[in-house]
Amino acid sequence: MTVRALIFDCDGTLVDSEPLGAAVFAEALAELGLALTAEAALARFRGRRLATTLAEVGGLLGHALPADFEARLRDRTALALRAGLREIAGAAALVRALTLPFCVASNAPRAKIELNLELTGLRPHFGDRIFSAYEVGSWKPDPGLFLHAADALAIPPDACLVIEDSEAGVVAALAAGMPVLALLPEGDAAWRPRHVPAIRQLSEVAAYLGSAG
């Protein structure tokens, strides 16, 4: 494949926010009477739109969530991120070494993306190349966010390599007609399509860029 640009997911791909967020989420659910471990919450809801996740949780509980649940959850999550967020190993080294255009495209609100990047020192590398599903109106697994990012970079979709850690993200990339790498540091996942390469760490991305990177 000829790679002319990279599109990164954020949570779980550039920053190690998923375990922190899942722990906060599990704690908040326990307060509502729903017993779900952080590991189970992460496995079930990783990479999905929060509104979809909360609707499913309401179904599990059998009643609607409190009106302020999402706002309180986001506040608690931000506190946890500020206290312990780290970059995914190799993220800074990778983006510093890139000579191709690159951006981040995430299902999260822009404020959370920027907070994640700022806390890990990655923010200066991305400039204005930050794309949020909330601003585009398209959430993974829909391909719209990735197609918007490719258009903003002025690179054809099939020349944009996506780096993702979730099923929803991989499905979105494939639907956009983009090559994608599944970042799976803990080992392979049952949801990974067999034709999608899996990598264990970001340092492996360079091997897929070849002379293009």
Side-chain angles (χ1 to χ4, degrees):
M1 65 183 171
T2 300
V3 177
R4 294 173 54 194
L6 273 75
I7 301 177
F8 293 94
D9 177 45
C10 189
D11 293 293
T13 301
L14 290 171
V15 302
D16 196 17
S17 54
E18 298 283 20
L20 294 171
V24 171
F25 190 41
E27 182 179 272
L29 294 181
E31 293 169 1
L32 296 177
L34 181 59
L36 197 66
T37 66
E39 293 76 16
L42 186 55
R44 184 164 187 163
F45 301 119
R46 186 176 199 137
R48 295 172 58 183
R49 182 183 180 185
L50 182 57
T52 303
T53 293
L54 296 185
E56 186 171 328
V57 167
L60 293 173
L61 287 168
H63 59 77
L65 296 173
D68 64 344
F69 181 83
E70 179 177 344
R72 290 189 292 108
L73 178 65
R74 290 198 183 280
D75 287 344
R76 291 169 67 169
T77 301
L79 286 174
L81 295 175
R82 289 183 183 280
L85 186 63
R86 300 289 184 270
E87 69 165 81
I88 293 290
L94 175 58
V95 297
R96 279 198 302 265
L98 287 174
T99 57
L100 299 174
F102 61 91
C103 68
V104 60
S106 168
N107 269 359
R110 186 181 184 91
K112 182 174 184 249
I113 302 170
E114 292 193 344
L115 175 64
N116 286 343
L117 297 177
E118 287 168 1
L119 291 173
T120 53
L122 295 170
R123 180 67 182 86
H125 298 290
F126 286 89
D128 61 355
R129 302 181 310 280
I130 295 174
F131 304 106
S132 165
Y134 285 81
E135 296 175 340
V136 176
S138 177
W139 285 261
K140 308 167 194 177
D142 185 272
L145 177 61
F146 284 146
L147 291 172
H148 174 83
D151 184 64
L153 294 175
I155 303 293
D158 62 0
C160 294
L161 176 63
V162 175
I163 315 299
E164 267 286 355
D165 72 306
S166 72
E167 180 178 14
V170 168
V171 170
L174 294 175
M178 299 177 175
V180 56
L181 300 178
L183 177 61
L184 302 171
E186 297 176 0
D188 207 356
W191 53 259
R192 179 181 66 87
R194 297 304 96 179
H195 65 286
V196 171
I199 58 175
R200 296 291 293 268
Q201 51 193 5
L202 288 175
S203 61
E204 297 176 54
V205 171
Y208 290 86
L209 300 181
S211 60

